[in-house]
Amino acid sequence: MFFKNFKVWETELAGRKLTLETGKMAGLANASILARYGETEVLCNVTASAKPREGVDFFPLSVDYEEKMYSVGKIPGGFLRREGRAGEKAILTSRCIDRPIRPLFPKDLRNDCSVVATVMSVDPDCSPEITAAIGVSAALAISDVPWDGPISSVNVGLVDGEIVINPTLEQREKTDLVLTVASTADLVAMIEAGGNEIDEETMFNAIMAGHEENKKIVRFIQGIVDEVGKPKFAYESSDPDPEIMAEIEAFCIEDVKKALDTDDKNVRDEALLPIYDAVHEKFDERFEGCEAKLDEIMYLVQKHVVRAWLKDEHKRVDGRGIDEIRPLNAEVDLLSRAHGSGMFTRGQTQVLSVTTLGPMSDVQLLDGLDEQTEKRYIHHYNFPSYSVGETKPSRGPGRREIGHGALAEKALVPVLPSVDEFPYAIRVVSEVLSSNGSTSQGSICGSTLSLMAAGVPIKAPVAGISCGLITGDDGVYGDFMTMVDIQGLEDFYGDMDFKVAGTKKGITAIQMDLKVHGLTPEIIKEAFAKTRTAREYILDEIMLPVISEPRKELSKYAPKMFTLSINPDKIGDVIGKGGKVIQEIQADYDVKINIEEDGRVFISGVDADKCQGAVEVVKLIATDPEVGSFYNGVVTRIMSFGAFVEIAPGKEGLVHISRLDVKRTEKVEDVVNVGDSICVKCIEIDDQGRINLSRRDYLIEVEGKTPENDIDEAPRKPRRDNRPRR
């Protein structure tokens, strides 16, 4: 056999076949796995550099989830017709793979490591994201790269009240929960969730159901490792020399404690600067060549102080109680012209969220691997360098910003009104003005305020809060403690950032970041209980007193939206040849018009009267003229026998000369000219669809004028092609 190392392993996951293959593709990678789940196929490759990267104090890991359009039988759009920069969903999937695998690498590893999952085929019933996560885990586990796996990931849904593992496409369309759970053999390593106000007990049960399913896949992957796994390579540890560490810690620890003991980040940072200078002045010459390590040692000293205070003394750097929230403030209407604005401040974290309403034509179009083609609610999160007192040019949103924006979006989507209730596209931008931890949750609170101020009739207000974790020396199975509303240092030096957003009724979003291998059920339950109490406090005591419900009126600067339904067969008439009719309506009335395939028409503009005028025009076009109805039309052509009047765009009728006035008319131009606006009555539609109109009948019946001559019978119909009769 040509591929002598080719191996295939098979199991079942949620009733569908899962296959992992190695030895046939990408033979030069440290490890390669082709993961097949149903007809979904993802190639997962792992590579690592032979030597550590110099001058870095972190583990240089990159995780890329690549969506290939050929996997769903599509040719990419755009001029180049090839895949470009990763889309938002691909970036979010990369983060969901990254977060559970990263803590399992050695903390002192500095070799570059690259993980690439390439989606090659997609079965709509079998998630490529889950297939990629499992394939990456298997590739890392069998590779020679040091890693304390394997892990597994599954999706969990809630369909008709029942927990479902890896729901199919049909089930995903009606699920109340979209949950991703990653696990090691014993612990829950990652949680990412969006739900329709799910209560804590149901959410916990769903997480545990996913965890139990993950355990089976972890055992399956471990069997593969036992068969073909490579020995892990040795690497040069980046940990500082213990003797140097001990001497520097003894020299500066008391000064570090004094500097950290404040609730003001600016004061803390200012107090630490002279300590750094003193350490370098004393030790740079003594430990020549280790200057870069000194800053890392200072980081470790601060980490030791913060964790010891929390775990041993239940003391927080800003003096708060373990479950005490920082001072809070909420405001609305900060920006004069914005459709809605709200600012939420928690300690030194401050987020301004701004709402913009637009017509349905402003929805975001999506071109991905799944069935979603557009997005009505868009949430963007910006994190400028000034928010942390740094100087750095803006280069667009990074993965973190995209992830935080998606979390806030996920938290708020369940409470948004339907299109029928509120036919607007909605964009919220959260600008982080100051950051000292929990900006993503601040953006959720600020965005709720902003949406209500804009008059978006959300079903319930949403608040977000984070919960931190400190574990003991013996890991998560031993002594641990959690604290609510973690600030920057507690996030930086702690073991967990467990973000939970929701209404009083239940959870709408979860995102969990860990620095340890995973969580026990007890930790998850405690985090749920603490975040629920804090969430209710924020809603009742801070947000609702500022704005208790969505405003009934929109901003005068927001577009006014009118909706109507027309016969889908008439859509072409409203659009017109080459879009001429709809473009003319939009220009004449200064509106935007969006038409759905089912015949729903959305008309928006700042002036309500102009919008109503456009509505009437669309109704005229979409409704066949009725005999006996009156119309206001424009004279478009004049002939010797009468005048043609356009009663709606694209719909013309003839007013015969005998029916132009209540008195005898010798010449058409004596009564009307091209461009005149006149009122007419529809008196006949013949079997060829031709419309006959009468101004005379309108003058008599509506304006009450007396006719000077009688018309005993209908006038003889002229030829419509303007050619003389023989």
Side-chain angles (χ1 to χ4, degrees):
M1 182 179 179
F2 183 79
F3 303 106
K4 61 181 180 180
N5 295 321
F6 180 54
K7 297 275 188 179
V8 181
W9 297 268
E10 240 179 61
T11 190
E12 191 176 273
L13 175 58
R16 281 150 276 170
K17 185 166 73 171
L18 173 67
T19 302
L20 300 180
E21 303 176 3
T22 190
K24 180 183 285 189
M25 299 182 182
L28 297 181
N30 289 56
S32 180
I33 288 283
L34 179 64
R36 302 180 189 268
Y37 187 33
E39 292 184 336
T40 293
E41 293 151 0
V42 184
L43 181 64
C44 304
N45 292 293
V46 173
T47 53
S49 61
K51 295 182 180 180
R53 190 196 297 188
E54 293 185 6
V56 299
D57 57 359
F58 61 91
F59 171 45
L61 169 68
S62 65
V63 177
D64 291 295
Y65 173 84
E66 299 181 338
E67 294 183 330
K68 301 297 184 181
M69 297 304 287
Y70 56 70
S71 67
V72 289
K74 293 182 182 178
I75 295 174
F79 182 75
L80 296 178
R81 297 295 183 191
R82 68 175 298 163
E83 292 82 4
R85 182 178 181 269
E88 184 175 289
K89 187 163 186 180
I91 290 171
L92 297 175
T93 302
S94 298
R95 283 170 54 84
C96 279
I97 296 173
D98 183 308
R99 297 210 312 270
I101 67 173
R102 188 177 289 270
L104 302 181
F105 287 95
K107 297 187 185 305
D108 58 344
L109 181 63
R110 297 293 179 265
N111 299 55
D112 282 275
C113 184
S114 175
V115 172
V116 181
T118 305
V119 182
M120 296 183 160
S121 177
V122 174
D123 177 347
D125 286 335
C126 299
S127 163
E129 296 86 0
I130 291 302
T131 309
I134 293 173
V136 164
S137 172
L140 281 168
I142 68 172
S143 75
D144 59 347
V145 180
W147 188 65
D148 196 12
I151 64 165
S152 175
S153 292
V154 293
N155 285 333
V156 185
L158 187 66
V159 181
D160 298 328
E162 298 293 325
I163 293 173
V164 179
I165 302 297
N166 285 357
T168 62
L169 175 61
E170 182 181 354
Q171 291 170 326
R172 291 198 299 272
E173 290 175 350
K174 54 185 178 180
T175 184
D176 288 316
L177 174 65
V178 179
L179 168 66
T180 302
V181 181
S183 310
T184 67
D186 305 303
L187 305 170
V188 176
M190 193 272 295
I191 301 169
E192 180 89 13
N196 292 330
E197 299 179 278
I198 307 297
D199 64 87
E200 278 77 6
E201 182 180 359
T202 301
M203 184 68 79
F204 177 78
N205 291 338
I207 292 169
M208 290 299 104
H211 180 44
E212 289 303 314
E213 194 70 26
N214 279 329
K215 289 179 181 179
K216 302 173 188 175
I217 303 303
V218 169
R219 289 195 294 269
F220 169 63
I221 297 175
Q222 188 59 55
I224 298 174
V225 175
D226 294 340
E227 185 176 343
V228 299
K230 301 175 183 177
K232 301 301 184 182
F233 64 69
Y235 63 93
E236 181 183 337
S237 174
S238 65
D239 281 346
D241 183 279
E243 292 183 5
I244 300 176
M245 173 76 188
E247 189 170 349
I248 294 176
E249 182 174 357
F251 171 76
C252 69
I253 191 167
E254 294 304 321
D255 291 333
V256 168
K257 288 180 180 179
K258 291 178 184 177
L260 294 179
D261 198 7
T262 176
D263 62 352
D264 192 318
K265 183 177 183 292
N266 291 325
V267 172
R268 182 186 309 125
D269 292 345
E270 191 70 26
L272 284 170
L273 288 176
I275 303 175
Y276 273 82
D277 291 340
V279 167
H280 281 287
E281 184 178 349
K282 182 174 179 62
F283 294 103
D284 277 357
E285 290 187 9
R286 288 188 55 198
F287 303 118
E288 189 175 353
C290 296
E291 293 87 350
K293 291 289 184 184
L294 297 183
D295 287 345
E296 188 173 349
I297 290 172
M298 282 295 294
Y299 158 81
L300 293 173
V301 171
Q302 294 171 66
K303 180 177 181 179
H304 170 74
V305 170
V306 172
R307 292 176 67 88
W309 277 349
L310 285 165
K311 183 175 177 297
D312 300 333
E313 303 178 33
H314 282 203
K315 173 183 176 180
R316 304 179 75 165
V317 292
D318 54 9
R320 281 183 293 148
I322 292 302
D323 294 329
E324 183 182 350
I325 301 174
R326 287 172 287 176
L328 302 173
N329 183 64
E331 297 178 58
V332 295
D333 302 331
L334 291 95
L335 305 179
S336 303
R337 287 262 183 175
H339 300 164
S341 58
M343 189 167 73
F344 188 81
T345 305
R346 181 190 280 125
Q348 290 182 304
T349 291
Q350 187 176 69
V351 184
L352 173 65
S353 290
V354 186
T355 298
T356 305
L357 305 177
M360 290 301 294
S361 57
D362 284 347
V363 298
Q364 182 179 0
L365 301 180
L366 305 176
D367 187 20
L369 303 186
D370 58 15
E371 292 69 33
Q372 187 180 7
T373 58
E374 63 181 35
K375 188 163 65 170
R376 172 185 170 225
Y377 178 67
I378 308 161
H379 197 118
H380 291 148
Y381 166 102
N382 296 318
F383 192 86
S385 58
Y386 64 76
S387 67
V388 287
E390 295 179 355
T391 302
K392 186 174 66 175
S394 297
R395 292 289 185 265
R399 288 190 172 192
R400 177 182 177 277
E401 286 85 349
I402 291 172
H404 281 6
L407 174 62
E409 184 174 295
K410 192 179 296 183
L412 291 162
V413 162
V415 301
L416 293 177
S418 67
V419 173
D420 292 334
E421 296 172 294
F422 193 72
Y424 286 87
I426 308 167
R427 179 180 185 238
V428 175
V429 179
S430 292
E431 305 283 2
V432 178
L433 307 180
S434 178
S435 172
N436 190 15
S438 295
T439 55
S440 64
Q441 303 309 287
S443 71
I444 292 169
C445 298
S447 298
T448 296
L449 297 169
S450 178
L451 287 166
M452 291 200 292
V456 179
I458 60 174
K459 299 171 187 175
V462 180
I465 192 72
S466 62
C467 182
L469 170 73
I470 297 293
T471 60
D473 295 335
D474 54 352
V476 293
Y477 295 108
D479 188 22
F480 72 89
M481 67 157 294
T482 59
M483 75 290 298
V484 165
D485 182 24
I486 58 175
Q487 62 168 302
L489 278 184
E490 293 165 339
D491 184 8
F492 201 44
Y493 299 132
D495 295 324
M496 175 181 79
D497 184 5
F498 198 119
K499 311 178 188 82
V500 183
T503 64
K504 287 186 179 181
K505 182 179 177 182
I507 296 169
T508 58
I510 300 175
Q511 188 177 92
M512 185 182 77
D513 294 324
L514 288 178
K515 297 186 182 74
V516 291
H517 286 196
L519 303 181
T520 61
E522 292 73 24
I523 296 174
I524 297 172
K525 280 186 175 180
E526 186 169 307
F528 276 164
K530 288 190 175 183
T531 53
R532 179 174 182 82
T533 300
R535 193 169 75 236
E536 291 178 344
Y537 170 78
I538 294 170
L539 287 169
D540 289 335
E541 302 298 327
I542 307 301
M543 295 172 61
L544 293 180
V546 172
I547 182 166
S548 59
E549 62 180 11
R551 290 197 172 122
K552 304 302 182 185
E553 299 290 332
L554 302 183
S555 163
K556 64 181 179 180
Y557 300 112
K560 310 304 181 287
M561 186 69 69
F562 292 76
T563 62
L564 67 151
S565 293
I566 64 174
N567 186 333
D569 293 339
K570 298 293 184 180
I571 292 175
D573 295 342
V574 176
I575 294 174
K577 186 176 181 180
K580 179 182 178 182
V581 173
I582 196 170
Q583 289 171 11
E584 286 181 353
I585 300 172
Q586 292 181 134
D588 291 344
Y589 291 92
D590 193 21
V591 296
K592 287 186 178 181
I593 302 176
N594 186 58
I595 306 177
E596 301 290 336
E597 291 181 358
D598 61 2
R600 286 181 300 166
V601 182
F602 302 96
I603 299 177
S604 64
V606 176
D607 189 316
D609 291 338
K610 290 183 177 180
C611 290
Q612 189 60 53
V615 168
E616 296 305 320
V617 171
V618 171
K619 284 182 179 178
L620 278 173
I621 298 172
T623 305
D624 291 328
E626 294 183 7
V627 174
S629 296
F630 297 97
Y631 299 93
N632 191 331
V634 176
V635 178
T636 57
R637 289 180 291 156
I638 289 178
M639 304 296 171
S640 60
F641 50 79
F644 286 92
V645 178
E646 187 179 57
I647 59 174
K651 291 186 178 180
E652 258 186 5
L654 173 68
V655 181
H656 190 268
I657 190 170
S658 64
R659 294 192 180 274
L660 274 173
D661 206 345
V662 293
K663 59 186 178 181
R664 181 177 178 84
T665 302
E666 298 293 339
K667 189 177 179 183
V668 174
E669 289 88 338
D670 293 340
V671 180
V672 295
N673 290 291
V674 172
D676 287 353
S677 177
I678 63 172
C679 293
V680 294
K681 179 182 178 180
C682 178
I683 58 173
E684 182 189 22
I685 301 175
D686 67 16
D687 54 6
Q688 296 183 45
R690 295 181 299 191
I691 304 168
N692 285 306
L693 306 170
S694 172
R695 179 172 179 267
R696 170 191 172 88
D697 287 33
Y698 172 83
L699 294 173
I700 295 171
E701 296 180 29
V702 178
E703 295 190 3
K705 293 189 176 182
T706 303
E708 295 183 7
N709 61 309
D710 293 326
I711 299 177
D712 296 329
E713 58 184 41
R716 190 173 165 188
K717 297 182 180 65
R719 295 179 58 132
R720 299 298 181 105
D721 57 6
N722 304 329
R723 290 178 294 179
R725 295 181 182 275
R726 295 185 180 180

